[in-house]
Amino acid sequence: MATALRTWSGLISALLNGSDLTAADTSWAMDQVVLGDVSPAQISGFLIALRAKRETADELLGLASALRSHATPVRIDGPFIDIVGTGGDRTGAVNISTMAAVVAASTGVTVVKHGGRAASSSAGGSADLVEQLGVPLDLSASEAAKSAADVGLAYLFAPRFNSALRHVAVVRRELGVPTAFNVLAPLLHPADPQHQLVGVANPQLLPVIAQTLCQQGKTALVARGDDGLDKLTTTTFSRLWLVADGTARETVFDPRSVGLRPTTLPALRGGDAATNAHTLRALVNGSAPGPVRDVVLLNAAAALTTLDLQPDNFLDQLAACLDVCRAALDSGRSAALLERWTVRSA
């Protein structure tokens, strides 16, 4: 798109005509929002037009790049992984990504999880669970980095590090419909992880998120269960994109291929933050229900594969990582890490 169209009316008109924007266009738009040089009506029109046309990887890349340029950076030494979902799957499942983060970190891999509160789920978001566990959400960048170094696990509360999001909060709330901002969270991690497991609730956006991560040079798995779960599921098949070495490849994953017994979605449902905290403690202490244990192990293991993802050998990698995660859980290392994380934060 020509620079001449970089006005709000020009961008919105292009979207209404079905034209895709460039990353530079959406980056310009996001910069204007952050600087306050735009009205709520213009923001609303832009977001609705973008959603109606359907977002492209370039458009999401531009939005994410602009937002990250205004975020508070977090410096983490050495490789680390992030386990995150877009949310919005409305399944009411337990906080799988946060529980998987604890298990993955207990294998000796550093995990720096980025997340926030749930917008529309009684089960709550990752931040609600983390807060219930007693981990503060107001950690500074240096405090978060120290938690990662000392414990092997840190939590970055999205509004704390991406304060620019406040400029669209009211508009998003008043619109009441999903927009690009509902799927941007995995792309806004302030520590810029190179290894991610990303769950996506909207099936149309699976290849878009995968391509965006590919353009960012990440190594990642992008997953959605056919039951609607924005994670790898154990109830049925999952659609999975493997992102590595500048390419993104789609596949279908069957949990039975790594020896996991299929379950039902009700068996994975959680409750409020207190209930989910109890479930996490039961998990690391060996008394959680089998279906919850299996789905958490699966996602923790999948996250570990992203450290050295080999698409042609993915199932063997995943099976090996499952064994590593089971050993960490069964040996008590997951329980010990959860104790260190929560006591250190008290």
Side-chain angles (χ1 to χ4, degrees):
M1 173 174 292
T3 302
L5 286 181
R6 283 197 193 134
T7 63
W8 284 103
S9 60
L11 294 180
I12 294 171
S13 294
L15 291 171
L16 292 174
N17 288 332
S19 298
D20 294 334
L21 304 182
T22 67
D25 293 325
T26 54
S27 181
W28 174 88
M30 197 67 253
D31 276 334
Q32 301 307 301
V33 170
V34 173
L35 294 172
D37 295 336
V38 57
S39 70
Q42 288 170 319
I43 298 175
S44 300
F46 176 75
L47 292 176
I48 292 298
L50 189 61
R51 172 45 57 100
K53 178 191 70 66
R54 293 185 183 174
E55 299 90 343
T56 66
D58 280 345
E59 289 163 347
L60 291 182
L61 186 65
L63 292 172
S65 297
L67 278 168
R68 286 195 67 246
S69 72
H70 294 280
T72 301
V74 179
R75 311 295 181 192
I76 303 295
D77 292 331
F80 66 96
I81 59 177
D82 178 33
I83 307 173
V84 65
T86 61
D89 63 15
R90 300 184 182 277
T91 63
V94 296
N95 295 101
I96 295 170
S97 63
T98 307
M99 296 180 185
V102 171
V103 174
S106 71
T107 69
V109 173
T110 301
V111 178
V112 181
K113 179 164 171 52
H114 179 232
R117 300 191 187 279
S120 58
S121 171
S122 59
S126 60
D128 301 287
L129 172 56
V130 169
E131 188 175 51
Q132 180 68 35
L133 292 169
V135 178
L137 300 180
D138 59 351
L139 293 181
S140 67
S142 61
E143 289 170 333
K146 185 168 176 51
S147 177
D150 294 349
V151 181
L153 178 61
Y155 185 82
L156 307 181
F157 184 44
R160 172 70 175 81
F161 295 93
N162 293 287
S163 59
L165 291 172
R166 71 180 185 275
H167 295 281
V168 296
V170 174
V171 169
R172 290 180 62 199
R173 184 168 59 250
E174 292 183 350
L175 281 176
V177 297
T179 69
F181 285 93
N182 291 74
V183 297
L184 278 175
L187 309 175
L188 300 179
H189 197 300
D192 192 22
Q194 296 304 300
H195 312 279
Q196 288 182 281
L197 170 61
V198 179
V200 179
N202 185 338
Q204 296 174 341
L205 287 171
L206 272 170
V208 178
I209 296 294
Q211 189 56 43
T212 305
L213 291 167
C214 191
Q215 291 183 38
Q216 289 181 323
K218 304 299 178 67
T219 301
L221 296 178
V222 183
R224 180 187 184 272
D226 285 352
D227 54 4
L229 195 69
D230 70 332
K231 305 288 184 299
L232 281 167
T233 188
T234 49
T235 76
T236 182
F237 297 99
S238 294
R239 308 294 157 171
L240 185 63
W241 285 79
L242 297 89
V243 179
D245 300 322
T247 63
R249 180 191 306 182
E250 184 181 18
T251 189
V252 176
F253 173 74
D254 182 348
R256 293 173 296 184
S257 66
V258 289
L260 294 177
R261 181 180 301 176
T263 185
T264 63
L265 200 53
L268 303 180
R269 291 204 175 113
D272 58 16
T275 299
N276 292 334
H278 174 79
T279 300
L280 173 55
R281 292 190 177 100
L283 171 71
V284 299
N285 290 324
S287 57
V292 171
R293 173 186 163 95
D294 284 350
V295 76
V296 170
L297 282 170
L298 174 60
N299 282 272
L304 293 188
T305 69
T306 67
L307 286 171
D308 182 29
L309 185 61
Q310 301 167 23
D312 291 333
N313 195 37
F314 172 68
L315 287 182
D316 288 341
Q317 272 193 297
L318 183 60
C321 288
L322 267 171
D323 288 341
V324 170
C325 290
R326 283 194 190 99
L329 198 56
D330 293 341
S331 67
R333 280 181 283 153
S334 299
L337 182 134
L338 180 63
E339 179 71 11
R340 288 199 310 274
W341 188 38
T342 53
V343 169
R344 180 184 181 278
S345 302

